[in-house]
Amino acid sequence: MRKSFFAFCALALLTFTGCTQKPSMHPTDEPFRSVYHHTPEANWMNDPNGMFYDEAAGVWHLYYQHNPYATVWGPMHWAHSTSKDLIHWEHQGIVLYPDSLGTIFSGSAVIDKNNTAGFGENAIVAIYTQSEKIGQNQSIAYSTDGGYSFTPYEGNPVLMGDIADFRDPKVTWDGDHWLMTLACQQEIRFYASPNLKEWTYLSSFGKDLGAHGGVWECPELLKMSNVKSQISNEKYVLLVSINPGGPFGGSATQYFIGDWDGKEFVVESQKSKVESKWLDYGKDNYSSFTFHNSPDGRLVALGWMSNWQYACQLPTVAFRSQNTVARDLFLFLDDEGEYRLGSVPSKETMALKGAETKYLPDAGIVELTLDGSQDALITLSNDKGEKVVMNLDVHRRTFSMDRTASGDCSFSHDFAARTVAPLFIKRDTYKVLLFIDHCSIEAFDADGAWAMTNLVFPSEPYNHLDVQGGEAKIYNVNI
Ligand code: FRU
């Protein structure tokens, strides 16, 4: 009787907390726990939120969508991590909890240098969606201790939704006022505000443009001046995550290049109107955002390294999800004269490159030099015969990654996949960087023309590297 009562209590507790899995080991002991990618200490994580850089303290702040009760999506909170180098992260706990206005969905944060909102000079103001059963509205909260704790504004919500999907505000300073990009079903709306509290509708973007296979989420308008590869006339890029409808199934981040006149975003070229452009050509880089106030006018981005198709089924135990390495975004012209958004590993990420080694470490960096006149085949494998096969196809001008035999793919029929990136620029020699961690491979054209992020779950680390059609140098990670 007593035993069954305890069993009942345990079951009730599990049901109440929504827990579907019990951690069976210390969270840091898990074989798939990333060594140099940000992961939650325990339980569920999705989108990076509210990222900003505190220049005076030299600290990068990262908040994220978090369910503290289970390793699957559930009641969303904002949890907080900080880093001095974008490699080592300190967990700072939860800063925003669900309240009577709803759970805490994705959003952004700004440093209010001029005290426009009246919370104090240099207050950190978070702008986020509150989701409740009947709709989604935008709220704000402020921090006067540099982003370590937040107080929700008593006048919330500051922007009421008028349709079902009305979320993910990313706020930037646009000359003399605040500008918000907001995902509204399959369009992006722009709103302006003098004080972060009162918002005026400006315009909508996206009808009949780009990919529309799913709902649009997590938008951001990027001003592409004063960054790597300066291009003389100022352009803007609008990042829009989409789920489903990505090029390899499930979620992915598309982008549009155009002009911003203070009120409307207008796509620049005929090609941009018909073609969907993708930030990343793998399956696992979603809801990518840049850090507000990144140093030197850089656009430093992090994405959620997962895909809604299988994010809740990934074979980790005490935690779920990780973020990509930090990348700098910039514009370049491809061989056909079309502007493209490039991404290179940020200099903070490149600082990971440790000593050259002969042996493939379980977390390392590989630098490939591939001859542009012939195809190349790159195979990462382990003693169990699990492998990831990459191919540079110089005739089709593509780089591909096949993870169909990479290890555990059994948890979802959507996981086994081969992803393909266009090379965009013809080169005599292709330099490719591979960032390998315990459950991920991020491949980059070393000059940033394309990036490809894919998760992998080998039953033991890959310890062989075979390169046909080029050479490889292997580096330890320096942490
Ligand atoms: C994107 C997203 C957002 C939403 C959040 C909820 O991954 O669906 O649109 O705000 O996740 O957790």
Side-chain angles (χ1 to χ4, degrees):
M1 174 64 200
R2 208 184 141 97
K3 210 168 160 191
S4 63
F5 173 74
F6 282 122
F8 169 78
C9 288
L11 184 70
L13 184 70
L14 279 179
T15 314
F16 172 72
T17 58
C19 269
T20 55
Q21 284 191 2
K22 280 257 103 182
S24 62
M25 55 179 91
H26 188 270
T28 52
D29 291 342
E30 287 202 36
F32 295 131
R33 171 75 76 172
S34 299
V35 173
Y36 59 86
H37 290 83
H38 173 260
T39 51
E41 194 166 24
N43 290 311
W44 171 263
M45 171 175 86
N46 59 292
D47 314 351
N49 294 150
M51 297 184 289
F52 76 94
Y53 179 64
D54 180 339
E55 216 172 335
V59 173
W60 302 84
H61 290 259
L62 162 66
Y63 306 88
Y64 56 91
Q65 288 287 278
H66 182 52
N67 177 7
Y69 306 118
T71 53
V72 292
W73 192 86
M76 283 296 112
H77 298 56
W78 271 29
H80 181 207
S81 297
T82 53
S83 176
K84 291 219 154 197
D85 59 6
L86 291 171
I87 305 290
H88 301 86
W89 291 95
E90 264 183 60
H91 295 289
Q92 303 288 355
I94 293 173
V95 291
L96 287 172
Y97 292 82
D99 60 24
S100 61
L101 298 177
T103 54
I104 315 293
F105 272 23
S106 286
S108 50
V110 294
I111 305 171
D112 190 5
K113 291 185 180 149
N114 301 325
N115 194 17
T116 62
F119 300 130
E121 208 174 284
N122 288 321
I124 312 298
V125 183
I127 309 98
Y128 52 93
T129 301
Q130 291 214 263
S131 187
E132 41 177 7
K133 280 204 186 84
I134 44 157
Q136 298 181 337
N137 306 305
Q138 316 319 313
S139 288
I140 61 176
Y142 59 94
S143 167
T144 50
D145 64 359
Y148 292 89
S149 65
F150 283 85
T151 308
Y153 167 53
E154 74 268 8
N156 281 337
V158 294
L159 180 61
M160 294 285 287
D162 53 11
I163 47 172
D165 295 301
F166 189 77
R167 60 175 179 265
D168 307 341
K170 172 75 184 176
V171 173
T172 50
W173 182 248
D174 193 26
D176 57 1
H177 61 272
W178 299 104
L179 175 70
M180 178 197 289
T181 48
L182 197 70
C184 302
Q185 293 177 346
Q186 291 194 20
E187 286 188 356
I188 302 307
R189 286 196 201 164
F190 296 97
Y191 291 85
S193 172
N195 56 12
L196 298 163
K197 293 172 175 166
E198 285 133 27
W199 292 94
T200 310
Y201 170 77
L202 294 177
S203 62
S204 297
F205 169 85
K207 197 168 182 314
D208 302 328
L209 293 170
H212 281 272
V215 68
W216 286 18
E217 302 183 315
C218 301
E220 175 168 8
L221 186 67
L222 303 170
K223 189 174 179 181
M224 302 305 297
S225 57
N226 191 27
V227 289
K228 186 178 179 292
S229 297
Q230 185 107 37
I231 286 171
S232 53
N233 35 350
E234 197 170 82
K235 298 257 167 251
Y236 284 79
V237 167
L238 183 63
L239 292 177
V240 177
S241 290
I242 174 172
N243 176 52
F248 310 107
S251 34
T253 304
Q254 60 178 328
Y255 67 89
F256 301 87
I257 299 177
D259 297 313
W260 171 252
D261 65 3
K263 191 164 185 270
E264 268 184 303
F265 178 72
V266 180
V267 163
E268 55 130 34
S269 79
Q270 190 55 30
K271 202 164 171 192
S272 292
K273 293 197 172 117
V274 289
E275 182 196 30
S276 303
K277 294 178 165 169
W278 303 101
L279 174 68
D280 192 295
Y281 287 86
K283 281 197 73 148
D284 300 305
N285 181 1
Y286 195 60
S287 50
S288 193
F289 284 117
T290 67
F291 283 85
H292 168 75
N293 200 41
S294 293
D296 309 320
R298 293 161 58 202
L299 294 170
V300 181
L302 284 189
W304 177 48
M305 197 153 57
S306 197
N307 187 313
W308 280 115
Q309 278 184 324
Y310 41 71
C312 293
Q313 281 109 48
L314 297 182
T316 53
V317 181
F319 75 100
R320 271 220 182 86
S321 296
Q322 45 283 312
N323 287 311
T324 65
V325 289
R327 301 147 184 225
D328 274 40
L329 306 183
F330 66 99
L331 275 188
F332 68 96
L333 279 173
D334 71 10
D335 284 348
E336 287 164 27
E338 182 77 7
Y339 283 115
R340 302 270 167 195
L341 185 62
S343 22
V344 277
S346 301
K347 65 176 189 203
E348 293 80 359
T349 307
M350 289 309 293
L352 273 169
K353 202 169 135 189
E356 198 177 334
T357 157
K358 274 203 206 139
Y359 306 102
L360 200 64
D362 64 350
I365 298 167
V366 174
E367 221 175 61
L368 299 163
T369 307
L370 307 174
D371 177 357
S373 66
Q374 56 171 315
D375 291 355
L377 196 65
I378 304 109
T379 309
L380 278 172
S381 59
N382 62 19
D383 296 337
K384 295 261 170 71
E386 295 165 340
K387 59 183 178 181
V388 177
V389 181
M390 287 161 269
N391 177 224
L392 174 83
D393 184 326
V394 291
H395 301 289
R396 290 202 177 87
R397 294 218 197 167
T398 55
F399 182 90
S400 63
M401 193 188 294
D402 185 335
R403 69 174 178 195
T404 53
S406 57
D408 188 1
C409 297
S410 65
F411 49 89
S412 160
H413 61 261
D414 292 314
F415 189 76
R418 177 176 172 268
T419 62
V420 186
L423 297 177
F424 293 121
I425 292 181
K426 184 167 165 36
R427 308 185 200 278
D428 293 339
T429 304
Y430 291 93
K431 282 216 176 240
V432 174
L433 296 170
L434 303 178
F435 285 81
I436 303 166
D437 204 339
H438 288 179
C439 70
S440 59
I441 301 175
E442 289 157 283
F444 292 88
D445 169 58
D447 291 313
W450 53 267
M452 184 179 285
T453 304
N454 284 318
L455 295 173
V456 284
F457 295 94
S459 54
E460 53 187 55
Y462 304 120
N463 55 357
H464 305 294
L465 173 68
D466 182 63
V467 182
Q468 292 167 31
E471 295 176 348
K473 282 188 180 168
I474 302 171
Y475 297 89
N476 281 313
V477 294
N478 184 18
I479 47 174

